[in-house]
């Protein structure tokens, strides 16, 4: 049977009474959050309770079966913090005087009774607080026991005072101890029967009716009808003597039903209902508890209530506690699975004693295996590990098991369902018993293939761009040195000519000049060689579709962009083929894209965007634009970004754009940058279209 929720939503009293707790002001909760509301509720409750108490008194017996005002006081002191107990006292006093003086009781007796009533409530409430049962007083069996203990103690202690006051005021001629016993029984029964429903409903009990599903309300109605019918049969009809001892159990199934399905709220309400029916019936001398004198009847009803109320409250609290535990278990189970799905990790558990394996819900679907497939036993699992990695994968676990440690980590290749291998990182935990014997191991598998690929790709890209830069650097140094070297060589020529013209024959000087020429020529040759190496190969001019190059470059940088949280979009127009070096175009584009990504490092993730566009510009050239949403170009840097060694990055070299410019210019193109109107910058370069391409409009042929 599904657990009934409508009545089980009890909140702690502390939360309900805390002045700042927002839920206190929810509709349907009690009105104890301000002094005036408290005072009004206590006044009305106390006065009505007193009238009800008088109605429930079996005359001529002076002691009522239940005395509701005491329960009102007790519940109010539980609901408000001790700092506001005075409000309860001040509000209850006029209600007490009004109700009791009307009955013709002397003023001093009335005053004394107020003191003993308040004393009972204060002792009870203080004890509940002391026992730590204030939070959910009827939501846990231990708390119910604490409350019952407090209610009994308060009733017994305050009855000493009560009886003493009666004797002191010479009110009636009953014996002190008879009075004490009668008062104790009445007060304890009152607290146990009436405080729970008041507290439960004041702390949100009514709210649950609004939330209840229709089926629950129908069930509650059926329960009520059954309970009322059985209670009326037991307490209002005279059954044959033979069934008398047994008939008292007739309402029990309904009371248990209420406790099981409707928690503390259902129990406290149904017990109170049975109490009223029983008191009225036995007051009229009918039913199972109405066969003695009025005093005997009252005592029988009180004893009956004293037994059933705590028992049922404990049962209801146990059910409520179990329901909460189940709900929190369900929630944490759901969280656990959602978390696993989100991390896409696979978790397994292996019982080292029985060898049984458990896999998280997604099982090995992350590696292409069927989710529902069973048979991922330990042996199958080991067989999925690449044969070359098996030993090294298991070694850390064996070491951890032997060394008595609790954790291990390893990395290995795991066979996917399609036969390829994924690189997997495993972290595990070993559960041991008190003697340290391993009982269980729990492992978590993370697929790190993509991460490794991305890292490797990143390293390759960095390496490649470093090589390019170093090559270009060497080339530019060679170029710079070439000029002075030519000057040296021509100076040597001039010196030799002058020497020849002077007619002097200086063999040593001629040898020196010849050496200088030879060294100079060798140096020039070395420089030429370095330049040749740096450019790696001669420009490989060919005709190709620039869109293809853009797509290839973007495929290459996609994992890096993903890792850096940058969405990439493209707009590729149909353009003519271009006539240039494909590798150079790739280099330029890579450089612009990496710069764009660097520029967006500080941009909030939601605003990042890299946009690459290819189109034919008005002059017939093919234009490639790279737009970002980064920090853009400042006025001071804009004119210098294409200069060699100009950089604003901490670890930048400032060569990328200058190299890009020389590459683009060597193909007859142009490169430039502008700031975007909204954010970031756009870098553009043009390439010459292949005149023979059929995409070229006729006017440009
Ligand atoms: P490096 O990247 O080593 O700094 P570059 O020549 O590629 O060398 O870039 C030179 C400078 O141009 C960068 O340091 C940066 O200040 C600026 N720059 C380049 N691209 C961008 C861009 N997309 N947005 C803003 N500034 C840029």
């Amino acid at each position: 049977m599904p657990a009934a929720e409508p009545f089980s939503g009890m909140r702690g009293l502390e939360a309900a009474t805390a002045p700042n707790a927002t839920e206190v002001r929810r509709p349907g909760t009690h009105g104890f959050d301000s002094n005036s509301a408290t005072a009004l509720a206590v006044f009305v409750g106390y006065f009505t309770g007193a009238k009800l108490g008088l109605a429930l008194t079996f005359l001529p017996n002076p002691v009522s079966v239940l005395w509701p005002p005491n329960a009102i006081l007790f519940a109010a002191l539980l609901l408000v913090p001790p700092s506001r107990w005075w409000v309860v006292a001040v509000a209850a006093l006029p209600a007490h005087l009004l109700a009791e003086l009307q009955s013709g009781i002397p003023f001093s007796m009335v005053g004394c009774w107020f003191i003993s009533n308040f004393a009972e409530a204060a002792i009870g409430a203080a004890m509940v607080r002391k026992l730590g049962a204030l939070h959910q007083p009827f939501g846990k069996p231990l708390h119910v026991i604490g409350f019952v203990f407090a209610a009994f103690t308060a009733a017994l202690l305050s009855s000493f005072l009560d009886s003493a006051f009666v004797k002191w005021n010479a009110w009636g001629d009953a014996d002190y101890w008879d009075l004490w016993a009668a008062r104790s029984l009445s007060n304890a029964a009152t607290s146990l029967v009436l405080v729970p429903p008041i507290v439960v409903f004041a702390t949100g009990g009514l709210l649950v009716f609004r939330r209840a599903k229709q089926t629950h309300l129908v069930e509650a109605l059926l329960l009520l009808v059954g309970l009322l019918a059985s209670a009326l049969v037991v307490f209002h009809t005279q059954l044959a003597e033979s069934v008398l001892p047994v008939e008292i159990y007739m309402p029990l199934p309904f009371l248990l039903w209420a406790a099981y399905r409707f928690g503390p709220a259902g129990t406290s309400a149904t017990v109170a209902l049975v109490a009223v029916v029983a008191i009225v019936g036995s007051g009229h001398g009918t039913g199972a508890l109405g066969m003695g004198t009025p005093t005997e009847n009252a005592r029988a009803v009180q004893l009956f209530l004293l037994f059933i109320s705590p028992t049922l409250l404990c049962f209801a609290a146990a059910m409520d506690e179990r329901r909460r535990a189940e709900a929190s278990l369900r929630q944490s189970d759901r969280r656990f699975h959602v978390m696993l799905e989100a991390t896409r990790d696979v978790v397994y558990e292996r019982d080292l004693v029985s060898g049984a394996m458990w896999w998280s819900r997604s099982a090995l679907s992350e590696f292409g295996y069927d989710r529902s497939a069973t048979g991922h036993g330990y042996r199958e699992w080991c067989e999925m590990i690449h044969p070359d990695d098996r030993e090294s994968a298991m070694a850390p676990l064996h070491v951890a098991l032997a060394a008595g440690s609790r954790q291990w980590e390893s990395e290995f290749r795991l066979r996917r369902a399609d036969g390829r291998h994924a690189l997997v990182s495993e972290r595990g935990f070993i559960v041991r018993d008190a003697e340290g014997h391993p009982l269980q191991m729990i492992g978590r598998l993370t697929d790190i293939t993509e991460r490794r690929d991305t890292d490797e790709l990143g390293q390759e890209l960095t390496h490649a761009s470093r090589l390019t830069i170093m090559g270009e650097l060497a080339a530019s140094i060679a170029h710079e040195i070439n000029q002075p070297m030519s000057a040296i060589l021509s100076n040597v020529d001039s010196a030799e000519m002058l020497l020849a013209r002077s007619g002097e024959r200086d063999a040593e000087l001629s040898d020196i000049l010849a050496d200088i020429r030879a060294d100079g020529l060798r140096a020039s040759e070395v420089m030429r060689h370095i330049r040749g190496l740096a450019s790696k190969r001669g420009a490989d001019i060919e005709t190709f579709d620039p869109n293809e190059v853009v797509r290839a470059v973007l495929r290459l940088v996609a994992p890096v962009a993903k890792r850096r949280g940058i969405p990439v979009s493209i707009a590729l127009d149909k353009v003519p083929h271009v006539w240039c070096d494909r590798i150079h175009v790739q280099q330029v584009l890579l450089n612009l894209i990496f710069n764009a990504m660097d520029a967006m490092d500080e941009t909030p993730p939601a605003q990042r965007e890299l946009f690459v566009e290819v189109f034919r510009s008005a002059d017939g050239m093919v234009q490639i634009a790279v737009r970002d949403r980064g920090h853009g170009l400042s006025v001071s840097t804009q004119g210098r970004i294409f200069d060699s060694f100009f950089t604003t990055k901490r670890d930048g070299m400032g060569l990328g754009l200058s190299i890009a410019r020389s590459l683009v210019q060597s193909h007859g193109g142009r490169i430039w940058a502008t700031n975007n109107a909204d954010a970031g910058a756009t870098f553009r370069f043009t390439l010459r279209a292949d005149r023979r391409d059929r995409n070229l409009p006729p006017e440009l042929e």
Side-chain angles (χ1 to χ4, degrees):
M1 216 190 308
E5 303 300 343
F7 294 93
S8 55
M10 273 193 54
R11 293 178 295 112
L13 293 188
E14 287 293 9
T17 54
N20 295 331
T22 46
E23 64 263 52
V24 174
R25 288 171 185 83
R26 282 192 312 206
T29 59
H30 62 83
F32 287 80
D33 47 333
S34 77
N35 284 349
S36 46
T38 306
L40 188 69
V42 170
F43 179 84
V44 173
Y46 197 99
F47 185 76
T48 322
K51 288 283 163 207
L52 203 70
L54 288 174
L56 297 178
T57 304
F58 296 175
L59 291 173
N61 186 7
V63 180
S64 67
V65 183
L66 297 182
W67 185 241
N70 287 16
I72 302 277
L73 279 183
F74 193 165
L77 296 192
L78 283 176
L79 290 166
V80 302
S83 58
R84 288 169 57 212
W85 282 8
W86 64 270
V87 179
V88 176
V90 168
L93 184 59
H96 180 81
L97 296 177
L98 202 65
E100 305 234 346
L101 288 177
Q102 279 178 359
S103 324
I105 305 168
F107 186 80
S108 67
M109 186 69 252
V110 170
C112 285
W113 266 335
F114 184 74
I115 294 171
S116 62
N117 287 354
F118 196 82
E120 185 198 358
I123 295 170
M127 278 183 72
V128 170
R129 275 175 182 274
K130 249 296 143 304
L131 292 171
L134 198 62
H135 182 65
Q136 292 183 331
F138 307 106
K140 290 182 172 190
L142 254 184
H143 288 182
V144 173
I145 292 170
F147 165 75
V148 172
F149 179 64
F152 263 109
T153 314
L156 298 181
L157 291 182
S158 66
S159 295
F160 284 120
L161 202 62
D162 206 11
S163 314
F165 282 149
V166 171
K167 286 274 130 197
W168 183 54
N169 282 284
W171 181 250
D173 49 9
D175 173 63
Y176 178 88
W177 289 110
D178 284 349
L179 259 177
W180 177 83
R183 294 273 170 186
S184 297
L185 212 57
S186 161
N187 287 347
T190 301
S191 297
L192 293 184
V193 173
L194 297 182
V195 173
I198 298 171
V199 169
V200 168
F201 285 96
T203 51
L206 288 176
L207 188 70
V208 296
F209 277 107
R210 285 221 241 137
R211 294 201 194 129
K213 291 190 204 126
Q214 212 173 357
T215 46
H216 283 136
L217 292 178
V218 171
E219 186 186 344
L221 200 71
L222 283 177
L223 166 65
L224 210 64
V225 171
L227 183 70
L228 256 179
S230 63
L232 286 173
V233 170
V234 176
F235 300 112
H236 286 263
T237 51
Q238 221 57 58
L239 295 179
E241 292 238 339
S242 57
V243 295
L244 263 182
V246 199
E247 66 169 325
I248 198 88
Y249 296 113
M250 275 178 72
L252 197 61
F254 298 100
L255 290 168
L256 286 174
W257 177 4
Y260 179 68
R261 294 278 292 154
F262 298 100
T267 296
S268 54
T270 46
V271 168
L273 184 73
V274 168
V276 172
V277 177
I279 291 168
V280 174
S282 45
H284 288 95
T286 56
L289 302 178
M291 288 175 299
T293 64
T295 311
E296 286 167 350
N297 290 349
R299 188 164 303 162
V301 172
Q302 286 159 349
L303 283 172
F304 170 72
L305 294 173
L306 278 180
F307 284 117
I308 62 161
S309 175
T311 316
L312 289 167
L313 280 173
C314 272
F315 177 57
M319 294 314 301
D320 210 39
E321 197 175 29
R322 204 186 77 172
R323 252 191 303 266
R324 285 197 306 273
E326 279 172 357
S328 101
L329 200 69
R330 268 198 305 275
Q331 196 185 29
S332 78
D333 193 51
R334 204 179 53 234
R335 266 193 216 134
F336 173 68
H337 283 293
V338 167
M339 204 179 73
L340 281 184
E341 297 273 330
T343 58
R344 294 165 63 196
D345 282 351
V346 177
V347 173
Y348 71 84
E349 185 187 277
R350 184 177 170 226
D351 189 321
L352 291 170
V353 183
S354 69
M357 291 273 290
W358 168 91
W359 291 92
S360 55
R361 214 185 293 161
S362 61
L364 288 170
S365 59
E366 196 52 35
F367 302 99
Y369 292 96
D370 192 353
R371 231 173 224 253
S372 57
T374 48
H376 296 312
Y378 194 63
R379 184 190 289 267
E380 289 107 315
W381 157 238
C382 290
E383 278 166 7
M384 285 179 195
I385 300 175
H386 193 289
D388 296 350
D389 295 355
R390 252 169 237 165
E391 213 179 299
S392 59
M394 293 297 166
L397 169 63
H398 293 150
V399 170
L401 283 171
S405 56
R406 289 187 174 272
Q407 291 183 12
W408 85 93
E409 268 180 45
S410 64
E411 226 175 83
F412 50 85
R413 284 166 292 171
L414 184 79
R415 199 182 62 242
R416 291 181 193 272
D418 60 8
R420 289 181 302 140
H421 280 90
L423 185 68
V424 166
S425 147
E426 181 183 32
R427 293 188 110 214
F429 190 82
I430 299 165
V431 182
R432 295 172 184 274
D433 64 11
E435 278 91 52
H437 300 126
L439 296 175
Q440 266 178 326
M441 46 186 258
I442 298 162
R444 190 205 69 192
L445 305 172
T446 313
D447 185 348
I448 55 167
T449 320
E450 197 177 314
R451 197 160 75 203
R452 186 213 39 201
D453 290 351
T454 311
D455 286 352
E456 279 177 4
L457 183 72
Q459 277 165 11
E460 271 171 27
L461 284 174
T462 317
H463 186 64
S465 72
R466 277 221 185 103
L467 276 184
T468 314
I469 287 168
M470 290 320 291
E472 289 292 329
L473 188 58
S476 66
I477 293 171
H479 178 72
E480 293 298 318
I481 291 180
N482 230 12
Q483 283 174 0
M485 207 50 80
S486 311
I488 290 170
L489 286 176
S490 59
N491 281 339
V492 170
D493 285 348
S494 313
E496 279 179 337
M497 265 168 53
L498 285 175
L499 200 62
R501 223 183 276 162
S502 70
E504 279 183 43
R505 289 206 50 81
D506 187 334
E508 208 173 341
L509 197 58
S510 299
D511 284 351
I512 290 172
L513 286 174
D515 278 356
I516 293 175
R517 176 197 298 280
D519 289 343
L521 284 172
R522 204 166 65 242
S524 291
E525 189 54 27
V526 171
M527 291 304 149
R528 207 177 55 75
H529 194 65
I530 288 177
R531 287 186 72 186
L533 273 184
S535 58
K536 286 196 203 92
R537 66 211 209 308
D540 199 354
I541 307 296
E542 57 179 327
T543 177
F544 60 89
D545 179 1
N547 285 340
E548 258 175 36
V549 173
V550 170
R551 281 196 205 97
V553 167
L554 287 178
R555 258 198 308 278
L556 202 64
V557 295
V560 182
K562 189 175 160 200
R563 183 160 48 90
R564 295 176 70 166
I566 300 171
V568 181
S569 49
I570 49 174
L572 307 179
D573 267 5
K574 198 168 166 36
V575 288
H577 282 195
V578 290
W579 178 244
C580 59
D581 186 318
R582 183 194 291 263
I583 305 292
H584 287 171
V585 177
Q586 279 181 359
Q587 274 180 16
V588 173
L589 199 55
L590 267 178
N591 193 270
L592 297 187
I593 289 175
F594 272 96
N595 274 348
M597 291 201 285
D598 289 348
M600 287 189 281
D601 270 348
E602 305 294 319
T603 307
Q607 290 165 25
R608 293 178 188 173
E609 195 200 356
L610 180 74
F611 179 63
V612 181
E613 195 182 6
V614 179
F615 58 95
R616 193 166 49 200
S617 54
D619 56 3
M621 305 279 275
V622 172
Q623 191 178 121
I624 301 181
V626 177
R627 195 178 76 203
D628 63 58
R629 300 188 131 266
H631 52 67
L633 303 162
S634 70
V635 183
S636 60
T637 59
Q638 199 154 15
R640 301 165 59 200
I641 49 174
F642 290 99
D643 293 352
S644 296
F645 304 111
F646 173 79
T647 182
T648 54
K649 299 174 194 168
R650 206 150 39 105
D651 49 2
M653 289 188 71
L655 285 170
L657 286 180
S658 80
I659 294 169
R661 183 169 59 177
S662 65
L663 290 177
V664 171
Q665 285 175 348
S666 73
H667 294 294
R670 200 163 72 86
I671 184 165
W672 72 101
T674 48
N675 273 325
N676 301 328
D678 47 356
T682 302
F683 280 70
R684 302 165 186 278
F685 65 98
T686 54
L687 297 169
R688 241 193 250 143
D690 181 357
R691 289 185 170 274
R692 292 160 306 171
D693 189 75
R694 52 191 149 73
N695 279 332
L696 206 63
E699 70 273 17
L700 291 172
E701 294 255 348

